[in-house]
Structure formats: structure tokens, C-alpha cells
Amino acid sequence: MDERQALAAFAALAQEHRLRLVRALVTAGPAGQASGVLAEAVGVSAATVSHHLKELSHAGLVASRREGRSIIYSAAYPALSDLISFLMRDCCQGHPEVCAPVVAALSACDCTTGDTAHA
């Protein structure tokens, strides 16, 4: 991810409903969710959620697919990973303790079961 892409992603996320949508989609996992379910989860109208999903899609943070008459949205995990990597690429500068909290937070997710470890 380059700086231009990171700026577009951050601009898309710099809105309350869009950030909530991305978090809801990350929680939903690769199966994703229909826009109506997302609208309910975020507490906005279908038209509003559609606008926000379009903006997130343009930023590359959300993917969509058609299933019958529904459009299912899902988090674009590679783009989200790239965004985190962009931020953390040069974090340590020889001081691993700087990155330790981030590594611990990301390690708390057991991706094999979908559970989150709670300390």
C-alpha cells in the first residue's frame, strides 16, 4: 500500500458510520452481510448505508458480491491488512517493545476458531 492508497482508506474510515460498517463486516467474517442487515446494525437507513458502502468500496476496504437478489458486502481483509502494515511498517526502529502491544492485540484473535482470547 502506498501513501495515496492509505490516505484514501483513512479518509473513508474518518466517518462514524463507515467505521462502524467496517467493524461490523470484520466481525461478520468472510461470509459478509447484506446491506439491510448492516443498515440495522449501524442504525442508518438503507439509502445511507448504500452511500457509505460505496465510499468504502471505492477506497478498497469493502468487497461485494451478488447472491440471488441480494448484494452481500464483506471486509476486504487484504486491504485492511495492508493498511495496518502501512502504519506499522517502520514502528520498531530497533525497539521491539514499541510494537509489542500491537502484536499482542493482533495475536489475541485465534483465527483457526474465530475466538478472541480474553486476558
Side-chain angles (χ1 to χ4, degrees), residues 84 88 100-111:
I84 293 167
M88 302 304 295
V102 174
V103 172
L106 291 172
S107 297
C109 176
D110 181 356
C111 296

Side-chain angles (χ1 to χ4, degrees), residues 4-91:
R4 182 189 58 75
Q5 292 167 314
L7 286 169
F10 284 121
L13 290 170
Q15 200 283 339
E16 174 185 5
H17 296 121
R18 291 184 203 145
L19 182 59
R20 288 181 184 173
L21 284 167
V22 169
R23 293 190 73 198
L25 288 170
V26 167
T27 301
Q33 289 184 326
S35 61
V37 174
L38 290 166
E40 231 177 88
V42 175
V44 297
S45 70
T48 300
V49 84
S50 177
H51 165 75
H52 290 311
L53 288 167
K54 181 183 77 166
E55 293 298 318
L56 290 166
S57 181
H58 284 302
L61 300 175
V62 169
S64 63
R65 67 184 184 281
R66 183 166 289 283
E67 283 187 9
R69 296 179 62 195
S70 298
I71 297 177
I72 305 299
Y73 294 89
S74 57
Y77 291 100
L80 293 170
S81 294
D82 287 349
L83 185 58
I84 293 167
S85 294
F86 175 84
L87 283 176
M88 302 304 295
R89 186 174 300 137
D90 303 316
C91 74

